[in-house]
Amino acid sequence: MKELKSNRLHIGIFGKTNVGKSSLLNKITGQEVSIVSDIAGTTTDVVEKSMELLPVGPVNFLDCAGINDETSLGEQRTEKTLKVLNRTDIAVLVCDYSGFDDNDESLIGRFNELNIPFIVVVNKTDIKEISDKKLSIIKGFTPNILITSAKNDDEIIYKFKSELIRLLPEEFVNTPKIVGDIVPEGSTVVLVIPIDKEAPKGRIILPQVQTLRDLLDSGCITLAVRDTELKTALENLKSPPTLVITDSQAFKKVDAIVPENIALTSFSILFARLKGDLNAFLHGAKAIDTLCDGDKVLILESCTHHAIEDDIGKVKIPNLLKKRTGKNLVIEHFSGHDFPDVSDYKLIVHCGACMTNRKEILSRILLSNKAGVPITNYGIAISYCLGISKRATTIFKKSV
Ligand code: SF4
């Protein structure tokens, strides 16, 4: 089975126009992924290519337009290129024998700001060697440098892969567990999956599938029930389960059914830990009680989806926030990979991020913190508004 895009290592290829970014990508992938030409600015949009790059693993390359594109649409393309940074796990900055200019140095500034490890590839050495002076300037920024001619160098793929392996973020070396690290092997875990009008027809949603697989991998005995059968299921078990995991939307009902001595959390909280930073989101949720009349709250979703009548982001979370605070809040929504200007908001509530990679959420947490705006996520916000966030996160403290 193909690895999910959100679990792949995202490698962004950046640099000025006409330095051979696309030639490098084509050489590494062994395919004509991007159009190559001598005309500057041939790559006008972000080109994505997923592949298995052994022994690194499943990766997603993002070939970006030149950062110095001066064509009429150049500004928009540069903006798109910069947005790719938010989901980049490892950046590749390509330059040629001319070395760095201000564009390259400002890109490195952005890499550092977002904690993105990077490799510099000095390309086109078949045309001209880079001077020692120019190379020493690059060495002042990083020791991770490859000097090559992507056109002719058949060894570049091996050199590139060994650089990547050296820079791999921890979660790509040791794949983190969703839940298997917080419950002992052989534990019984109950999954509560309401089948209501929000449930997709004929299937269960991705975070539930992934959690089930993680539990099976961890040797747990897993029971999946609807909220309507939960009480009977618990009564029928010979001994209480170690943990109950519920869809956040049934939190209140499930909290009332599951006895206090049984640990309870939600799929969304598990994903807040896996895809983001649980402590940052818990801290962010505390801002709910400081909201005042007229304060703006941003509901931030990583992808667009058709909102149904009782949509979690459009209806449920706004209602819960208004009920908890008793304030007249201004709730706004934003969907997609872009990160809007958040400076006007008093709180950001992020979705479960099932379709995006962890780096994007970590970047969003970092950018929100920089803007001084607290950020939390759906599961944490729901449990906080219902007054059960302590119970819903106790299992993580026990496991440390
Ligand atoms: S990425 Fe966010 S908005 Fe998109 S389906 Fe997953 S939780 Fe919903």
Side-chain angles (χ1 to χ4, degrees):
M1 196 181 90
K2 271 188 164 182
E3 183 59 89
L4 294 168
K5 194 155 128 188
S6 57
N7 289 348
R8 292 175 176 269
L9 179 77
H10 283 49
I11 305 167
I13 303 187
F14 304 92
K16 299 185 289 285
T17 52
N18 214 20
V19 290
K21 298 186 292 296
S22 300
S23 308
L24 178 73
L25 176 60
N26 290 347
K27 191 76 175 191
I28 289 165
T29 57
Q31 293 172 24
E32 296 295 307
V33 174
S34 291
I35 303 165
V36 174
S37 97
D38 287 335
I39 303 163
T42 308
T43 305
T44 52
D45 258 321
V46 179
V47 176
E48 293 202 33
K49 169 71 185 165
S50 294
M51 70 177 291
E52 196 68 31
L53 191 68
L54 292 172
V56 179
V59 302
N60 191 41
F61 283 104
L62 301 144
D63 184 16
C64 300
I67 195 77
N68 60 329
D69 185 342
E70 282 165 2
T71 61
S72 53
L73 290 171
E75 208 172 301
Q76 285 173 37
R77 288 177 188 143
T78 302
E79 213 176 287
K80 272 192 185 169
T81 293
L82 293 177
K83 280 172 182 164
V84 166
L85 284 170
N86 290 349
R87 53 192 163 118
T88 296
D89 294 301
I90 297 182
V92 180
L93 175 56
V94 187
C95 66
D96 62 13
Y97 45 82
S98 315
F100 277 180
D101 68 9
D102 290 351
N103 291 297
D104 301 289
E105 294 185 13
S106 95
L107 264 174
I108 290 182
R110 301 291 287 266
F111 299 158
N112 291 336
E113 190 186 1
L114 293 169
N115 301 324
I116 305 170
F118 64 96
I119 303 165
V120 172
V121 176
V122 181
N123 196 11
K124 296 196 170 181
T125 53
D126 55 311
I127 300 175
K128 195 175 168 187
E129 293 291 334
I130 186 166
S131 70
D132 288 347
K133 192 174 164 200
K134 285 176 177 159
L135 188 58
S136 74
I137 292 174
I138 298 175
K139 284 181 179 165
F141 288 95
T142 178
N144 311 319
I145 304 168
L146 293 174
I147 301 175
T148 186
S149 157
K151 220 157 98 186
N152 309 324
D153 183 359
D154 290 333
E155 298 295 307
I156 183 66
I157 175 81
Y158 305 108
K159 297 179 211 160
F160 182 73
K161 286 199 282 193
S162 55
E163 280 299 317
L164 275 186
I165 288 168
R166 279 196 323 105
L167 297 181
L168 273 183
E170 172 59 22
E171 67 249 42
F172 292 94
V173 181
N174 298 309
T175 310
K177 292 272 185 192
I178 297 172
V179 59
D181 59 329
I182 55 171
V183 288
E185 193 179 339
S187 305
T188 301
V189 177
V190 178
L191 306 182
V192 186
I193 304 174
I195 305 295
D196 52 18
K197 57 187 171 193
E198 284 196 38
K201 209 172 172 192
R203 64 180 173 88
I204 56 174
I205 60 173
L206 191 56
Q208 296 161 351
V209 175
Q210 289 177 280
T211 304
L212 175 60
R213 174 60 196 262
D214 188 82
L215 285 164
L216 295 175
D217 285 343
S218 307
C220 291
I221 299 153
T222 313
L223 180 65
V225 293
R226 298 186 297 188
D227 48 335
T228 39
E229 280 73 50
L230 175 63
K231 192 166 184 296
T232 315
L234 292 176
E235 283 164 3
N236 287 350
L237 284 172
K238 277 192 184 154
S239 50
T242 307
L243 175 65
V244 174
I245 305 168
T246 181
D247 186 290
S248 295
Q249 304 194 48
F251 235 146
K252 194 174 179 185
K253 184 174 177 188
V254 172
D255 175 55
I257 295 171
V258 177
E260 274 298 325
N261 61 328
I262 299 173
L264 170 67
T265 193
S266 72
F267 293 104
S268 184
I269 292 178
L270 290 173
F271 275 74
R273 186 176 75 124
L274 183 78
K275 287 289 183 78
D277 179 336
L278 184 59
N279 286 329
F281 285 150
L282 281 168
H283 183 72
K286 290 184 186 155
I288 292 173
D289 286 338
T290 66
L291 294 171
C292 303
D293 281 329
D295 278 352
K296 284 171 76 175
V297 176
L298 179 66
I299 307 281
L300 189 54
E301 298 193 325
S302 291
C303 74
T304 45
H305 62 265
H306 176 66
I308 57 156
E309 193 189 327
D310 223 9
D311 188 73
I312 182 164
K314 293 267 183 325
V315 181
K316 288 188 175 157
I317 302 256
N319 286 348
L320 274 169
L321 288 174
K322 284 178 185 168
K323 193 169 173 202
R324 167 87 188 191
T325 60
K327 306 291 179 195
N328 199 5
L329 304 173
V330 179
I331 312 265
E332 294 183 348
H333 295 83
F334 189 90
S335 305
H337 285 308
D338 297 353
F339 189 75
D341 177 3
V342 296
S343 49
D344 265 1
Y345 296 98
K346 291 287 184 273
L347 175 68
I348 299 168
V349 186
H350 203 288
C351 75
C354 64
M355 304 293 279
T356 193
N357 69 340
R358 181 164 191 250
K359 183 67 193 182
E360 182 164 286
I361 306 306
L362 293 180
S363 298
R364 287 179 163 193
I365 293 173
L366 207 127
L367 294 170
S368 307
N369 287 343
K370 273 205 168 153
V373 184
I375 180 166
T376 188
N377 97 327
Y378 280 5
I380 308 271
I382 292 174
S383 65
Y384 191 88
C385 288
L386 296 173
I388 52 172
S389 57
K390 195 160 175 246
R391 179 178 191 195
T393 52
T394 302
I395 185 83
F396 303 103
K397 289 174 194 131
K398 273 188 191 161
S399 69
V400 178

